Amino acid sequence: DVKVTQSSRYLVKRTGEKVFLECVQDMDHENMFWYRQDPGLGLRLIYFSYDVKMKEKGDIPEGYSVSREKKERFSLILESASTNQTSMYLCASSPQRYTATYEQYFGPGTRLTVT
Amino acid sequence: DAKTTQPTSMDCAEGRAANLPCNHSTISGNEYVYWYRQIHSQGPQYIIHGLKNNETNEMASLIITEDRKSSTLILPHATLRDTAVYYCIVRVASNAGNMLTFGGGTRLMVKP
């Protein structure tokens, strides 16, 4: 079974703090994704990576950065957390074979609250 | 990307088959049909995908009509844990990273 794990289920941080969200997958997938999910707005892609040290911006990259030093690990960094970054953060991975791009496997999510 | 239409909600008795329909009348020849679900407060879960042939895996079966304008996801023996919102999406396949977006979906309630 594909397993995608995220470092925390719940996180509370203060405005201005630097926040690290970690994601690890154990299926040797090339593609990894960070989304946020908010009521009424659905899933929105922040960043994705299709290889180690490679990253691409999604729809809403402002205020975030990412790091992929190893194939299995994809980190999301909030450089200076703000209250509008309070959200559910979801990591996903997918194999890089044709037809499989939308076969994405998600972690349990991190519910981040910024106060 | 082709637009999809799903019923807003459905009920199913525990142990019975749940048949969830999806209309995608504008689907093009190179677009695949994908199904996901999301249980409350959890991340989305990939279920199955297909192009034109029927597909089956350990979770579900996907039946795609011959004209590909609609499909049905079948959960053969629904359990209470299958209560979730089910999303049908239609996308062109590729190797590149791509954003997943969900429409309204069908809220399936499995009842004892």
Side-chain angles (χ1 to χ4, degrees), chain B:
Chain B
D1 299 316
K3 181 176 155 54
T4 60
T5 306
Q6 299 176 253
T8 306
S9 64
M10 290 180 66
D11 289 346
C12 178
E14 189 179 16
R16 305 296 293 268
N19 297 295
L20 295 103
C22 180
N23 285 324
H24 30 79
S25 58
T26 60
I27 192 170
S28 60
N30 60 350
E31 288 183 306
Y32 286 70
V33 181
Y34 292 81
W35 281 86
Y36 279 79
R37 71 181 182 184
Q38 189 164 21
I39 297 167
H40 183 62
S41 296
Q42 296 184 24
Q45 181 184 21
Y46 164 80
I47 301 173
I48 198 167
H49 74 275
L51 182 63
K52 53 186 178 183
N53 297 323
N54 297 339
E55 302 287 344
T56 296
N57 63 21
E58 64 280 0
M59 285 184 69
S61 294
L62 173 60
I63 309 297
I64 302 174
T65 57
E66 197 167 335
D67 63 8
R68 302 209 324 120
K69 294 187 179 195
S70 66
S71 60
T72 301
L73 179 76
I74 301 171
L75 308 178
H77 305 287
T79 70
L80 299 179
R81 286 179 295 181
D82 291 322
T83 291
V85 181
Y86 287 77
Y87 298 99
C88 164
I89 67 170
V90 174
R91 288 289 187 276
V92 177
S94 74
N95 283 332
N98 279 291
M99 180 174 68
L100 202 61
T101 56
F102 295 143
T106 297
R107 187 170 297 277
L108 175 70
M109 179 74 73
V110 180
K111 298 185 173 179

Side-chain angles (χ1 to χ4, degrees), chain A:
Chain A
D1 270 358
V2 176
K3 193 122 185 210
V4 180
T5 56
Q6 295 182 228
S7 48
S8 307
R9 284 302 309 271
Y10 300 94
L11 210 52
V12 180
K13 295 291 181 180
R14 294 199 173 165
T15 302
E17 278 193 85
K18 191 168 185 174
V19 182
F20 293 86
L21 301 181
E22 298 268 301
C23 174
V24 178
Q25 51 95 2
D26 66 359
M27 280 302 288
D28 203 35
H29 285 170
E30 291 83 2
N31 299 328
M32 294 188 76
F33 308 80
W34 274 108
Y35 293 87
R36 62 180 282 180
Q37 187 172 33
D38 301 286
L41 296 175
L43 278 178
R44 291 182 291 167
L45 183 67
I46 305 171
Y47 269 96
F48 68 93
S49 168
Y50 53 88
D51 202 352
V52 175
K53 296 195 188 294
M54 305 301 285
K55 61 185 179 186
E56 295 284 341
K57 292 179 181 179
D59 276 1
I60 51 162
E62 297 78 20
Y64 303 94
S65 62
V66 289
S67 171
R68 189 149 181 220
E69 297 296 319
K70 294 186 177 181
K71 191 176 185 180
E72 68 271 18
R73 190 178 297 267
F74 192 34
S75 302
L76 180 71
I77 302 142
L78 286 68
E79 297 291 342
S80 176
S82 63
T83 54
N84 62 12
Q85 292 179 309
T86 291
S87 185
M88 168 72 94
Y89 288 88
L90 291 157
C91 174
S93 72
S94 75
Q96 204 172 70
R97 63 174 181 274
Y98 189 68
T99 81
T101 309
Y102 292 101
E103 184 183 331
Q104 295 182 17
Y105 296 88
F106 285 79
T110 296
R111 189 165 292 283
L112 172 68
T113 302
V114 182
T115 61

